[in-house]
Amino acid sequence: MFSPSDLFEIPFGDWVDSAVKDWLVPNFRPFFRSLQAPISFVLDGLDGFLNAMPMLVFTAILAFIAWRTAGRGVAIFTALALVFLDLIGVWGQTMTTLAMIVTAVFFCAVIGVPVGILAARSNRFLAILRPILDVMQTIPPFVYLVPIVMLFGVGTVPGVIATIIFALPPIVRLTNLGIRGVRADLVEAAYAFGSTPSQVLWEVQLPLAMRTIMAGLNQTLMMALSMAVIAALIGAGGLGLTVNTGLGRLDVGTAMEGGIGIVILAIILDRITQSFAERKAVATPSLAQTFRGFFKPSRIAARTADEKPA
């Protein structure tokens, strides 16, 4: 049966290969390599700090953070899970993976929140940005690992860069969604009282959109964790390297150790960040406090009546 490809074919793969190899890499590789400096600085410092911190101290700190943010149950799980990771011998890899994830999420927030704010303020910019985010979010990560290796080389930093590209879209989308979801009458009221656009952004829009932005940060974190194994294919270390080592040797136990470490880390970080997203902007009294408030005025009035002189 006839098809258009019987007449001619578009050499799309050859065009892309020529554009990357013959133009992008020779002309822009030094520029792209220079972009590694801030990422390498943050990653190396964080990795060294986390691996130098005693295991029990880090466990106590993270369990305390989990208790203050997500509750006692999450704190107990955090402590027991981190002790388990130390007992199975993957503590160092866990700290390296945590450093990679925190670095990637940090740069995603630094880039994604301002881009989301710009998208919320300009429909034209959003129309240009949306297909780019669609491509970043749907293209298989293995596709852009090849140009990343050609431009940045191999190692942990290129793995973090690949993670940033993959995990960036959710925080951009949800920052845009959160700011656009702020009620228009509140924004108009702020302008009516003489607020500048920057004051409206910082004092009205961002506080009211913070729950949505934190939900985007949580999704970015989860996507960054899902890249841990894939990033190890281009030289990144941590638990992803443990999984790939077990896969290469058909060692089920080693692969399971790395996999369970990623799962535990994902659960802990998800519960902590999700607690920030679920916090209410305005504290509301419970049912018991409401009933208590009904009787409090009557008690005060009765006490005042008793204290009045006859």
Side-chain angles (χ1 to χ4, degrees), residues 88 102 109 122 297 308:
I88 64 176
V102 172
S122 172
K308 286 183 178 180

Side-chain angles (χ1 to χ4, degrees), residues 56-119:
L56 293 178
V57 174
F58 178 83
T59 301
I61 292 174
L62 194 59
F64 177 77
I65 294 173
W67 171 59
R68 296 296 298 172
T69 57
R72 183 175 57 184
V74 177
I76 294 173
F77 173 80
T78 299
L80 295 177
L82 292 178
V83 171
F84 173 75
L85 292 179
D86 181 61
L87 292 177
I88 64 176
V90 293
W91 180 259
Q93 296 92 316
T94 302
M95 293 299 100
T96 299
T97 299
L98 181 61
M100 292 172 54
I101 298 308
V102 172
T103 302
V105 172
F106 170 75
F107 281 99
C108 284
V110 169
I111 299 170
V113 173
V115 172
I117 292 172
L118 291 176

Side-chain angles (χ1 to χ4, degrees), residues 244-255:
N244 285 330
T245 301
L247 178 63
R249 298 175 180 175
L250 295 180
D251 187 346
V252 180
T254 301

Side-chain angles (χ1 to χ4, degrees), residues 5 41 55 59-60 62 69 81 100 103 127 178 233 243 260 295:
S5 61
F41 175 77
M55 177 265 171
T59 301
L62 194 59
T69 57
M100 292 172 54
T103 302
L233 295 175
V243 174
I260 200 67
F295 295 102

Side-chain angles (χ1 to χ4, degrees), residues 94-180:
T94 302
M95 293 299 100
T96 299
T97 299
L98 181 61
M100 292 172 54
I101 298 308
V102 172
T103 302
V105 172
F106 170 75
F107 281 99
C108 284
V110 169
I111 299 170
V113 173
V115 172
I117 292 172
L118 291 176
R121 294 195 163 193
S122 172
N123 291 329
R124 181 174 299 176
F125 180 70
L126 178 61
I128 298 172
L129 183 65
R130 185 174 292 165
I132 298 175
L133 295 177
D134 291 340
V135 172
M136 293 172 62
Q137 204 163 13
T138 56
I139 191 170
F142 295 97
V143 174
Y144 56 77
L145 286 184
V146 177
I148 283 178
V149 170
M150 297 175 67
L151 292 170
F152 296 98
V154 296
T156 302
V157 175
V160 172
I161 293 173
T163 303
I164 293 172
I165 296 173
F166 181 73
L168 184 61
I171 193 168
V172 176
R173 291 183 184 275
L174 288 174
T175 299
N176 166 64
L177 180 64
I179 293 179
R180 286 179 179 268

Side-chain angles (χ1 to χ4, degrees), residues 14 31 39 46 76 103 132 142 155 162 168 182 194 234-235 254 275 291:
D14 295 336
F31 168 73
I39 298 175
L46 192 58
I76 294 173
T103 302
I132 298 175
F142 295 97
L168 184 61
V182 175
I234 58 173
T254 301
S275 65
F291 280 116

Side-chain angles (χ1 to χ4, degrees), residues 162-215:
T163 303
I164 293 172
I165 296 173
F166 181 73
L168 184 61
I171 193 168
V172 176
R173 291 183 184 275
L174 288 174
T175 299
N176 166 64
L177 180 64
I179 293 179
R180 286 179 179 268
V182 175
R183 287 168 47 187
D185 56 341
L186 297 178
V187 177
E188 292 174 2
Y191 280 120
F193 280 101
S195 299
T196 63
S198 61
Q199 288 175 329
V200 172
L201 174 65
W202 288 101
E203 298 177 12
V204 178
Q205 292 176 315
L206 282 178
L208 292 176
M210 190 54 64
R211 291 181 63 186
T212 306
I213 295 173
M214 289 303 301

